[in-house]
Amino acid sequence: MNICLFGPPGSGKGTQASLLIKEFGFIHISTGELLRESLKRQDSLGVAIKKTMAEGALVPDEMVVELVRKFIVSCSSSALLLFDGFPRTIEQSNLFDQLLESNGRSLDMLINLEVDIETIVERISGRRVCEKCGTIWHIVLKPTKNQGICDLCCHELSQRDDDQERVVRQRYNTFLNASLPIFDKYERLGKAWSCSGSLSIEDTFQKVKMKINSIKK
Ligand code: AMP
């Protein structure tokens, strides 16, 4: 099975992905996470994408598709794959279709988590990350006991460059212009489904879980 989690930044793709991995045993790829790891390592990819990522723009298609290609070929043919934050342009989706086909796979469903822009801004611009243990906090929705300090490891929290409000609005516009046409493409093929991402984490998860169970082979 091959599932894409789709939706604007802050729609809860990462949160739903971790629940779906536990529930179904998916092998998961988040292109955003892989790119951030490259940034941290300051490898050649990380250096090349630093400015693009900080501005909330999309990394060139060929760089992202190469990460996804390596991932797909490294997985056994029986593995259930969950793509998170990919594809993000029509060109990526066309290359993705080819990649899946040449590996004996095809997309089963693209799941779109719908969330309005003001909810997204509230969710993302309050997000703070502990660089040491990776825990994600939120100044309103999931505050730490001591402001700016991780409850779990006492390390200082920071804000991702691309989580600033101005950049979040830019990322949302990029989603509308570059990514949303992908939903229409797969919808015409009967392979796209939308679900509200504004519900509680558990309610969204129950709906997504039911959908995946209904298409499981
Ligand atoms: P995310 O964590 O999925 O919100 O991604 C964070 C950032 O990584 C995005 O704002 C883009 O700069 C970059 N990125 C992630 N996935 C892709 C992709 N499929 N295509 C292009 N850029 C991406």
Side-chain angles (χ1 to χ4, degrees), residues 31-32 35-36 53 57-59 64 85-86 88 92 160 171:
T31 45
L35 294 168
R36 276 190 292 281
M53 295 268 295
L58 293 179
V59 168
V64 184
F86 179 89
R88 271 192 150 89
Q92 286 181 20
R160 268 168 52 183
R171 288 165 68 195

